[in-house]
Every structure is written in C-alpha cells, then in structure tokens.
Amino acid sequence: AYTGAANGQVSRWSLGEAEPKAQVYFKYHTDAIRSLALSPDSRWLASAGADARVVIWDTAAGTKLREWQQPGGVAQVLF
C-alpha cells in the first residue's frame, strides 16, 4: 500500500506484519501529494502533487522514470 502526505512524501507500507510499518519510498514533490495511482501490473506508481508535477516511478527500483509539469495543477492521476 502507498500513501501520500502533505509534505510531499510518498510512503510504502509493509502490510505483512501485525502492525503495518511505513517505509519512506521517495520524497520528490515540493508540496502535498494530491493523488497516487498504481499501474495494473504494479510496476509503476504515478504521483501528482500540489506542486503541479506528475511523476512516474518504478516501484521495484524506487527510481523516477518520468516527470512533467501540468499547467494549472493536477487533481488526480489514473492508469
């Protein structure tokens, strides 16, 4: 599971234990995360922030694949 925070941080959660544990997955956005979307095959994660950036991440490697600015801001991302 992934969550986005007001500080622009996206966390990946380990759900296989009695108490879920958050792991910082990446911190790239400079403002709040507005939307996250996981690709159907779980290979990519899209994040959209209040900073008007859309970022596509490789979930296995934790690396940024693509990034672009969305004029006027981003409300939601989907695959």
Side-chain angles (χ1 to χ4, degrees):
Y2 296 87
T3 57
N7 68 356
Q9 177 177 296
V10 174
S11 296
R12 179 174 53 195
W13 291 80
S14 172
L15 302 177
E17 303 169 27
E19 282 291 318
K21 292 185 180 180
Q23 305 166 335
V24 174
Y25 192 57
F26 59 84
K27 173 77 169 83
Y28 185 78
H29 291 276
T30 58
D31 207 340
I33 301 297
R34 288 191 171 165
S35 182
L36 296 172
L38 193 60
S39 66
D41 61 5
S42 299
R43 290 180 52 208
W44 300 331
L45 178 72
S47 60
D51 58 3
R53 289 183 180 149
V54 176
V55 183
I56 305 296
W57 300 92
D58 178 316
T59 58
T63 56
K64 180 178 75 166
L65 297 174
R66 301 209 48 179
E67 171 200 356
W68 64 93
Q69 291 285 124
Q70 176 64 43
V74 182
Q76 188 174 14
V77 289
L78 297 170
F79 277 97

